[in-house]
Amino acid sequence: MSNRRKQSTTAGIFLCITISTLFLLSSDVSALGVNWGTMATHQLPPKTVVQMLKDNNVKKVKLFDADTNTMVALAGSGIEVMVAIPNDQLKAMGSYNRAKDWVRRNITRFNDDIKIKYVAVGNEPFLTAYNGSFINLTYPALFNIQKALNEAGVGDFIKATVPLNADVYNSPLENPVPSAGSFRQDIFEEMKLLVNFLAHNKAPFTVNIYPFLSLYLSSDFPFDYAFFNGQNTVSDNGVIYTNVFDANFDTLLASLKTLGHGDMTVIVGEVGWPTDGDKNANIPNAERFYTGLLPKLAANRGTPMRPGYIEVYLFGFIDEDAKSIAPGNFERHWGIFKYDGQPKFPADLSGAGQKKILTGAQNVQYLQNQWCMLNPDGLTFSNNTNQLGDNVNYACTFSDCTALGYGSSCGNLDEVGNASYAFNMYFQVQNQKAEACDFEGLAIITTRNISREQCNFPIQIGDPTSGHSDHNHRYGSFISFALVNMLLLFMAL
């Protein structure tokens, strides 16, 4: 997230963006939620984002920390909140005094003003990519946080949970179907301890599911199976699965059943579709995904193993241009809103199936209407392609050039276009400082919009603030056991 990000086959989809009312069928149906990540070089003011949530009837939000400015902005909004403890703080939470102090500073002092519902202890701490770094730190932190919540008198209605990647469970290679799901053997005892604790405290299991990554990780994965209106199906002892989200979610339920907790409440902490940075990450595919997901959630169709309501948080609300791209260039493009809070595509968060224009951020302040571009004369005089390459690499190291990748929105630019895009992105990140558009004489500032067709050369928003969230959470998505199982299943069909 953030930085990243998770994976697909048999885990649970937690649409990070709180689908608002679900009043469609019943006024008692809980709303969807969204993930609000803040790994951006230029952030919208927290109050602006909260207003966006309210304007779009988002009733729940999942955070990746407990930043004071964010919490203050949420005060009095009526929005239900899941606050978080980043992975790098798990060790500290192993001390009960530290955990108690964290609850006092981040929970109880806001208790009268913010509807805090959950505390997310860590973010996918059992990812295989972390090489076990957080495995022994997670349960002590979870135990102490819940104990501190109980001692503070809020434990009955604020529960501690651990958002986990779908790679914590899998099905055996010889029988890769949802009903055969079980937790990974290398973390089985830790998962048993964690699940039993959650059950004892009546807390939910939280899982992040990403059908997009099925396609990203394997060209053999059936394309339509990542969506909700395709023709691909999988039979599990006569139970028919028509999409990987359901299969992933039910693999988790089967895994919980092996521990005697098949009826445990499950929350999908993250689910969504990116719009750039990969050949399958684009607006049409994102629209298709949400057009299938949102009505499914609104109708409370659930999954074959668990029909009915599923609490889901869409991922994500706004793009984050400072997230790590270790999992892939798409990591910075999960938002249903662009970096400046403007909607990317129509979406009906009520699930009624009507394409509506989402309400974007209001009164956004932008930098001046100017861009940085390659200076043709400078290039001619320098006559040095190595110099140009070095400067382009420098610009992209300190800004976001992920749209230039193969299959991405700016992937078809020529050498001049690539250089200009890189220079402009750096120029914008540096708040359009004149010295940020020099590059050894290779660049010049222009007031002419140099965007090309579907490739937008953005102008950054003003009043930048530094990112404060640490949710670099999808590193391990690439080796999801559940994905391997599903791929094997399809190869066998």
Side-chain angles (χ1 to χ4, degrees), residues 25-46:
L25 300 177
S26 166
S27 60
D28 295 328
V29 177
S30 298
L32 287 178
V34 299
N35 283 267
W36 175 3
T38 55
M39 296 294 288
T41 59
H42 293 62
Q43 293 178 33
L44 291 167

Side-chain angles (χ1 to χ4, degrees), residues 80-301:
E80 186 179 289
V81 180
M82 180 188 296
V83 298
I85 299 172
N87 288 339
D88 60 8
Q89 295 182 28
L90 292 177
K91 184 175 182 180
M93 295 304 105
S95 161
Y96 180 62
N97 286 336
R98 295 286 295 275
K100 187 165 61 173
D101 181 63
W102 188 93
V103 168
R104 178 186 59 78
R105 288 184 292 105
N106 300 295
I107 303 296
T108 54
R109 77 173 173 126
F110 293 114
N111 200 42
D112 294 334
D113 302 312
I114 304 177
K115 295 173 62 176
I116 299 174
K117 182 71 177 294
Y118 303 110
V119 175
V121 180
N123 188 42
E124 299 185 338
F126 291 175
L127 276 177
T128 53
Y130 289 147
N131 297 317
S133 299
F134 304 111
I135 287 179
N136 294 325
L137 304 178
T138 302
Y139 179 77
L142 175 68
F143 181 93
N144 285 337
I145 289 296
Q146 188 64 62
K147 179 181 178 182
L149 291 170
N150 295 343
E151 186 178 277
V154 298
D156 287 342
F157 53 90
I158 301 179
K159 302 295 183 180
T161 182
V162 180
L164 293 163
N165 186 283
D167 80 341
V168 300
Y169 51 86
N170 59 82
S171 299
L173 298 180
E174 63 275 11
N175 188 29
V177 294
S179 63
S182 182
F183 290 109
R184 277 179 13 218
Q185 285 303 303
D186 64 306
I187 57 171
F188 188 84
E189 292 304 318
E190 288 81 2
M191 289 303 303
K192 182 178 180 180
L193 187 67
L194 187 149
V195 169
N196 286 338
F197 182 82
L198 293 175
H200 176 75
N201 287 278
K202 297 181 174 58
F205 189 103
T206 302
V207 65
N208 300 337
I209 299 176
Y210 284 90
F212 163 80
L213 292 179
S214 296
L215 298 180
Y216 181 76
L217 296 171
S218 174
S219 59
D220 295 327
F221 190 88
F223 185 83
D224 286 347
Y225 199 63
F227 301 90
F228 298 90
N229 60 348
Q231 301 302 313
N232 299 103
T233 60
V234 170
S235 177
D236 180 359
N237 298 316
V239 177
I240 303 301
Y241 286 88
T242 60
N243 64 85
V244 72
F245 174 82
D246 286 358
N248 202 318
F249 190 91
D250 282 1
T251 302
L252 169 59
L253 296 183
S255 302
L256 290 169
K257 187 175 181 180
T258 64
L259 298 181
H261 297 293
D263 60 347
M264 173 173 280
T265 298
V266 174
I267 292 175
V268 178
E270 299 179 17
V271 65
W273 200 278
T275 58
D276 210 346
D278 181 70
K279 63 179 181 179
N280 291 316
N282 52 57
I283 288 177
N285 283 345
E287 278 197 84
R288 179 183 178 186
F289 183 79
Y290 285 116
T291 297
L293 175 65
L294 299 181
K296 171 184 172 67
L297 295 173
N300 292 327
R301 290 200 294 269

